[in-house]
Amino acid sequence: MTARDSRAKNRFLVYILATALVGLLLYLFYAFEPAMRTDLGAHVAGREDSLLKIPKLVLWGVLSYLAVRALNATLFGAVFRFRRGYEAPTLVRNIFSIVAFTALFFFVFNRIYPEVNLGAVFTTSAIFGVIIGLALQDTLGNFFSGISLHADRPFQVGDVITVGQQKHTGVVEGITWRAIKIRTFQNHVVLVSNSNAAKEAIEVCPRENLNARLVFFGTLYTDSPAKTIHVVREAIHDAENVSRKITPIVRIRNLGEFAIEWEIKYWLEDYAKYNDTDALVRQRVWYALRRNGLSFAFPTRTIHVERKSTATGIPKNGQGVIDRLLAVEIFAPLSAEETEKLAAASASHVFAPGEMVIRAGDQGSSMFVVHNGRVQVQVTENGKARNVAVLNEGDFFGEMALFTGEPRTANVVALEETEVLEIGHAAMKPLFESNPDLAESISYIIAERRVGLAARQEEIPGAASEPAGLLNSIKRFFGLG
Ligand code: CMP
């Protein structure tokens, strides 16, 4: 049995005892009334009747009070909780008790003093009204604000709210006659008077609602946004109290002075624990960034010292680029030296997931090799995109337009963060001149890819599809003999 249950049981016992006692007193009073009347008559002749009415009124008054309490407990304690699923607000219970008790008391008073018109006493006393009005100005203000708060039902016990001029935030513990009682996250109890609360905007984060939080951090400009999004989302989605129902959002909120400024939006299971969960999310971000070689930004000043290019002209990650090009099938006929030259002439570009590297129909004078990541080749049929192929690291694309001078035949879209090496017309021309085999092997590959595109509605006008025809058009385009 919980402490709450045993307290309720004790209260119930006291209540039964009190009712029994008052009942007994009333019984005794009525039983001995004739005797008391004779006794009193001997001392205060003629006034015994009005003297006997006072204890009678008191006893009936107490009994009325107990009856109202019993009704209150049955109506709100049991019926309200079982039928509606939550406890009746204190304010509603109190209003009910006052109205019921006043009505009962009027009734009892009328029975005992039928000659006194209580209604007239209250309604005709203007001064009484003024006094009551002035004395209860604030109280009544709070009372009516409380009633309107209950009528609107903007929040319930257990919700987190921000209320009042000082913007107190905490969990609602109760709404009384006078005030809203909230427990702040420092475990303080704050009472915001109902009339104050009613004047200000109240921010409510309902308990049964998926409430969101924002957490901020910043990374260096050199860190990849796509990677950061992936790493952070993975790091936080299974953190305690982070809701699994909605995937957290990780997005760039600003390109700041020295940092890419990020915002994490996540949803909580239990909003009342948002401080702990924010902290956990920040902690997870720290570890995830560290594990993945990403860095938090802090105020920095970057001085760029431009160095003369190296003797070979190969970029810093040159060996990686050379290795990549050596593995590309169409460049197989090239010597090591030629591949190095090609690497030096290539430019690296990074595309975000979903970005278009090549758009069908554009003019193009370069081809690309996928260095890191993946791309998708799409053609448009009747306004709908059809995926033709996925190209991985070491695959190439864009050769058709480069080698034939025709418009791009397809869209190529980055599927994830993708680094491509771009090789232009000028870089290829000397290679064709020194390597006649190259033009031939390329013509075979283009012919093969054309077959993949055959389902397209309109063919490229005047485009050759046979390797021999393609070879001729390559030779023509590059001015080869
Ligand atoms: P280009 O026409 O210059 O631009 C679009 C590129 O998509 C095209 O060159 C090819 O490199 C590539 N492409 C077209 N069809 C296919 C396919 N079936 N398989 C792989 N790549 C393709």
Side-chain angles (χ1 to χ4, degrees), residues 51-188:
L51 277 179
L52 279 175
K53 278 180 180 176
I54 295 170
K56 233 194 252 181
L57 182 68
V58 171
L59 284 174
W60 278 112
V62 174
L63 200 65
S64 314
Y65 171 76
L66 290 171
V68 168
R69 288 289 303 268
L71 200 61
N72 188 320
T74 335
L75 197 65
F76 295 109
V79 179
F80 220 92
R81 197 177 317 168
F82 287 127
R83 302 217 41 192
R84 299 235 182 150
Y86 60 90
E87 215 157 301
T90 328
L91 191 60
V92 173
R93 299 179 79 138
N94 289 349
I95 293 171
F96 169 81
S97 299
I98 288 176
V99 172
F101 179 70
T102 313
L104 255 179
F105 188 78
F106 265 64
F107 176 75
V108 169
F109 191 90
N110 243 330
R111 295 301 297 264
I112 297 175
Y113 295 101
E115 67 282 2
V116 181
N117 184 354
L118 253 192
V121 170
F122 280 104
T123 49
T124 54
S125 173
I127 293 176
F128 179 79
V130 171
I131 292 170
I132 291 278
L134 285 177
L136 296 183
Q137 205 175 27
D138 283 349
T139 317
L140 286 177
N142 282 329
F143 173 70
F144 286 112
S145 303
I147 290 180
S148 82
L149 276 178
H150 277 290
D152 280 356
R153 270 210 165 277
F155 51 81
Q156 286 186 22
V157 171
D159 292 351
V160 174
I161 63 167
T162 303
V163 67
Q165 274 155 347
Q166 271 108 45
K167 301 268 166 265
H168 292 290
T169 301
V171 183
V172 178
E173 288 209 330
I175 306 161
T176 66
W177 283 102
R178 207 184 71 72
I180 301 167
K181 185 174 167 195
I182 58 173
R183 190 167 290 273
T184 68
F185 295 110
Q186 289 80 43
N187 204 20
H188 302 161

Side-chain angles (χ1 to χ4, degrees), residues 121-361:
V121 170
F122 280 104
T123 49
T124 54
S125 173
I127 293 176
F128 179 79
V130 171
I131 292 170
I132 291 278
L134 285 177
L136 296 183
Q137 205 175 27
D138 283 349
T139 317
L140 286 177
N142 282 329
F143 173 70
F144 286 112
S145 303
I147 290 180
S148 82
L149 276 178
H150 277 290
D152 280 356
R153 270 210 165 277
F155 51 81
Q156 286 186 22
V157 171
D159 292 351
V160 174
I161 63 167
T162 303
V163 67
Q165 274 155 347
Q166 271 108 45
K167 301 268 166 265
H168 292 290
T169 301
V171 183
V172 178
E173 288 209 330
I175 306 161
T176 66
W177 283 102
R178 207 184 71 72
I180 301 167
K181 185 174 167 195
I182 58 173
R183 190 167 290 273
T184 68
F185 295 110
Q186 289 80 43
N187 204 20
H188 302 161
V189 172
V190 175
L191 294 162
V192 181
S193 70
N194 289 343
S195 54
N196 266 344
K199 275 184 222 146
E200 299 286 326
I202 307 176
E203 187 183 339
V204 183
C205 305
R207 196 165 41 162
E208 306 303 334
N209 188 42
L210 272 181
N211 300 295
R213 290 282 300 169
L214 296 176
V215 169
F216 307 106
F217 68 100
T219 57
L220 296 183
Y221 271 103
T222 44
D223 289 342
S224 143
K227 185 174 174 185
T228 309
I229 291 173
H230 176 73
V231 163
V232 172
R233 210 192 278 142
E234 283 298 300
I236 59 170
H237 86 277
D238 62 344
E240 194 186 329
N241 201 27
V242 171
S243 173
R244 310 271 193 288
K245 290 185 193 134
I246 309 180
T247 312
I249 295 172
V250 180
R251 59 192 172 199
I252 297 177
R253 60 190 276 265
N254 190 27
L255 296 174
E257 221 175 297
F258 56 84
I260 300 183
E261 293 169 15
W262 292 89
E263 167 180 285
I264 302 172
K265 183 175 184 183
Y266 73 93
W267 285 261
L268 292 106
E269 299 283 351
D270 180 0
Y271 191 74
K273 291 187 190 146
Y274 72 74
N275 280 319
D276 290 340
T277 316
D278 279 2
L280 181 64
V281 164
R282 291 187 194 107
Q283 195 193 64
R284 289 276 179 107
V285 171
W286 189 92
Y287 282 106
L289 292 197
R290 196 183 164 113
R291 269 199 311 277
N292 290 280
L294 301 167
S295 315
F296 282 107
F298 46 86
T300 48
R301 190 171 293 268
T302 312
I303 297 167
H304 287 284
V305 179
E306 203 170 312
R307 289 184 199 285
K308 279 220 160 76
S309 58
T310 50
T312 56
I314 299 172
K316 212 172 108 227
N317 66 343
Q319 198 49 50
V321 174
I322 294 171
D323 291 345
R324 172 65 70 219
L325 297 183
L326 278 173
V328 175
E329 49 172 320
I330 50 165
F331 298 136
L334 302 184
S335 68
E337 205 183 318
E338 284 170 328
T339 313
E340 264 184 34
K341 275 193 192 148
L342 193 63
S346 70
S348 143
H349 306 288
V350 181
F351 287 85
E355 256 192 302
M356 204 173 271
V357 186
I358 279 180
R359 191 181 302 276

Side-chain angles (χ1 to χ4, degrees), residues 358-368 376-379 386-391 395-404 406-412 445-446 448-454 456 460:
I358 279 180
R359 191 181 302 276
D362 283 358
Q363 291 298 327
S365 57
S366 53
M367 64 171 286
F368 301 84
Q376 187 153 55
V377 183
Q378 307 174 328
V379 289
R386 180 170 71 89
N387 298 329
V388 180
V390 171
L391 304 178
D395 290 339
F396 62 92
F397 58 93
E399 76 296 340
M400 294 189 180
L402 169 64
F403 297 137
T404 61
E406 289 156 7
R408 299 289 191 194
T409 52
N411 292 329
V412 179
I445 286 160
I446 298 178
E448 222 168 86
R449 287 194 168 172
R450 283 251 163 94
V451 175
L453 294 177
R456 267 185 62 187
I460 310 141

